Amino acid sequence: MDLLSLVHDPIEAAQANGLPVRRTTVVRTTPWRNRLRSVTALLSARPLTHTLLDAPGLQASLADMVRSSRPDVVLAYCSGMARLALADCLKDVPLVVDMVDVDSAKWEALGRTGVAPMRWVYEREARCLGRFESEIVAHARTTLVVNERERRTLARLAPRTDIRVVPNGIDLEQFRSTQPPASEPRVVFCGVMNYKPNEEAALLLVQHIWPRVREARPDARLVIVGAQPTKRLRQAAATDGSIEVTGSVADVRPYLWNSAVSVAPLATARGVQNKVLEALAAGLPVVITPTVAEGLPAAALPGCIVADAAGCADAVVSLLRRAPDDRRAFAAQADLSELGWATQLAPLVPILSAAARRKPYIRLAS
């Protein structure tokens, strides 16, 4: 396998070293340039996703890779990178697209709750990206999504196409804690914090949920873990000394292992929230919203409490009142044994092989 990837900073670039692939090519994005170009892109039909996920030399790097070793099949990861599969050098190569989730549906949801002028931007992105998703799925031999909800959503955009569910997984041994459950009343929320749904969830947590938790448990502490927290989030958290915003961390696991409860109070959530699977694997019960629950595998739900925004504080407090061993036992009700990556990704190789051999589709319909 040859890998072509965008990277946003030197940390991401360093992570490309030592990957088990034949050749790795990384191209550095230029955020200021992309934001400037996105202003003019608003006057076109091009999705902003494609403008913001771009870099000088990206097309040239792709062409160079194809010249040196023409692939049998292309695996494009997410709608942001799938556009490259339509380049002249690849347009005749069989394509499998891993959409993960349907990004246009996420922007549509944000448009319903946003305020002007961003509401208009979100609604435009939903329309433009939705058109591209229909085009790329029709071009692909097979398209992958992570759960049945995403398959149904994508099938409405691109009927009579081959869409398969290949779920996300979890490295159970990597996240399993070898230490006793945390006794301190520490609550953790993990995610990339400049991602709009995560930022909105963190602000909801800081401004509305956490004050109610602190009324019941003045000794409670909240840790918000994740790269690129926005200025707005940092300012909101700075008003409460019980809240820590870490920014980027080398390893999220110690923050999970040293916490009592995990929360994921997202109002907008597509696909599978791996932050929930990771917390469960680390032995933490998780408080989640209904939209997060809808995307999770059924086996994960027994380790979670599902609550709307108004009920999240009560759910967190109820878990903090439990003994540490009881909290870990509650999380252990989630059976993650069949969610390992080896099991979840087992269908991928046959799908890629069939696409490379240009075999006819076998379409499964519910």
Side-chain angles (χ1 to χ4, degrees), residues 151 155 158-164 360-366:
R151 190 200 67 77
R160 298 180 299 280
T161 55
D162 187 42
I163 304 172
R164 313 281 186 93
Y361 294 143
I362 300 175
R363 185 161 186 251
L364 303 178
S366 56

Side-chain angles (χ1 to χ4, degrees), residues 59-116:
Q59 294 280 354
S61 296
L62 175 63
D64 178 64
M65 291 180 71
V66 176
R67 276 194 302 270
S68 63
S69 178
R70 186 172 177 80
D72 300 306
V73 62
V74 172
L75 174 61
Y77 186 80
C78 79
S79 57
M81 295 298 284
R83 65 187 174 86
L84 296 176
L86 300 177
D88 287 343
C89 60
L90 287 178
K91 64 183 180 182
D92 296 325
V93 179
L95 170 66
V96 174
V97 177
D98 186 357
M99 299 289 276
V100 186
D101 45 65
V102 184
D103 280 338
S104 62
K106 171 190 67 182
W107 295 115
E108 183 180 4
L110 288 170
R112 287 194 295 268
T113 59
V115 296

Side-chain angles (χ1 to χ4, degrees), residues 6-322:
L6 291 172
V7 295
H8 297 88
D9 52 46
I11 295 174
E12 286 190 355
Q15 291 173 350
N17 297 327
L19 293 176
V21 297
R22 181 176 62 177
R23 175 183 177 183
T24 301
T25 300
V26 298
V27 184
R28 178 82 177 267
T29 61
T30 51
W32 67 267
R33 172 180 176 269
N34 292 347
R35 285 194 291 268
L36 185 62
R37 291 175 65 213
S38 69
V39 176
T40 56
L42 286 171
L43 302 176
S44 72
R46 189 186 194 205
L48 292 183
T49 298
H50 293 168
T51 301
L52 294 170
L53 291 176
D54 201 2
L58 181 59
Q59 294 280 354
S61 296
L62 175 63
D64 178 64
M65 291 180 71
V66 176
R67 276 194 302 270
S68 63
S69 178
R70 186 172 177 80
D72 300 306
V73 62
V74 172
L75 174 61
Y77 186 80
C78 79
S79 57
M81 295 298 284
R83 65 187 174 86
L84 296 176
L86 300 177
D88 287 343
C89 60
L90 287 178
K91 64 183 180 182
D92 296 325
V93 179
L95 170 66
V96 174
V97 177
D98 186 357
M99 299 289 276
V100 186
D101 45 65
V102 184
D103 280 338
S104 62
K106 171 190 67 182
W107 295 115
E108 183 180 4
L110 288 170
R112 287 194 295 268
T113 59
V115 296
M118 291 308 299
R119 179 176 61 196
W120 177 83
V121 174
Y122 298 151
E123 290 172 345
R124 177 199 173 275
E125 186 67 3
R127 292 192 303 271
C128 295
L129 195 57
R131 285 194 293 268
F132 170 78
E133 288 167 341
S134 298
E135 177 186 1
I136 199 67
V137 171
H139 178 73
R141 298 289 293 177
T142 299
T143 302
L144 313 177
V145 291
V146 294
N147 59 27
E148 182 60 25
R149 176 176 66 173
E150 302 302 321
R151 190 200 67 77
R152 292 193 302 268
T153 301
L154 191 57
R156 289 194 291 269
L157 283 174
R160 298 180 299 280
T161 55
D162 187 42
I163 304 172
R164 313 281 186 93
V165 174
V166 177
N168 277 357
I170 179 70
D171 188 333
L172 296 175
E173 292 305 316
Q174 183 184 32
F175 281 91
R176 181 173 287 118
S177 176
T178 59
Q179 61 194 48
S183 58
E184 297 296 320
R186 185 176 292 109
V187 178
V188 63
F189 174 49
C190 299
V192 177
M193 289 301 156
N194 67 344
Y195 176 58
K196 189 67 175 177
N198 282 341
E199 184 204 23
E200 288 184 346
L203 288 169
L204 174 70
L205 178 58
V206 168
Q207 296 171 336
H208 300 286
I209 298 172
W210 192 244
R212 293 185 55 200
V213 173
R214 289 269 288 166
E215 286 178 7
R217 291 296 301 261
D219 58 339
R221 296 292 179 267
L222 173 63
V223 185
I224 299 174
V225 181
Q228 299 180 310
T230 63
K231 181 180 179 180
R232 185 181 174 201
L233 174 56
R234 285 192 179 279
Q235 288 177 338
T239 62
D240 188 332
S242 70
I243 302 174
E244 176 186 1
V245 179
T246 68
S248 181
V249 299
D251 191 342
V252 73
R253 292 175 299 172
Y255 292 91
L256 294 173
W257 295 336
N258 290 308
S259 296
V261 176
S262 175
V263 291
L266 280 78
T268 303
R270 303 299 308 184
V272 176
Q273 295 297 312
N274 265 33
K275 58 172 67 73
V276 176
L277 301 184
E278 291 170 357
L280 291 170
L284 296 185
V286 191
V287 176
I288 59 176
T289 51
T291 190
V292 172
E294 189 179 352
L296 289 174
L301 293 176
C304 304
I305 294 180
V306 182
D308 60 17
C312 280
D314 291 339
V316 170
V317 170
S318 70
L319 288 170
L320 290 178
R321 286 176 177 151
R322 291 174 176 246

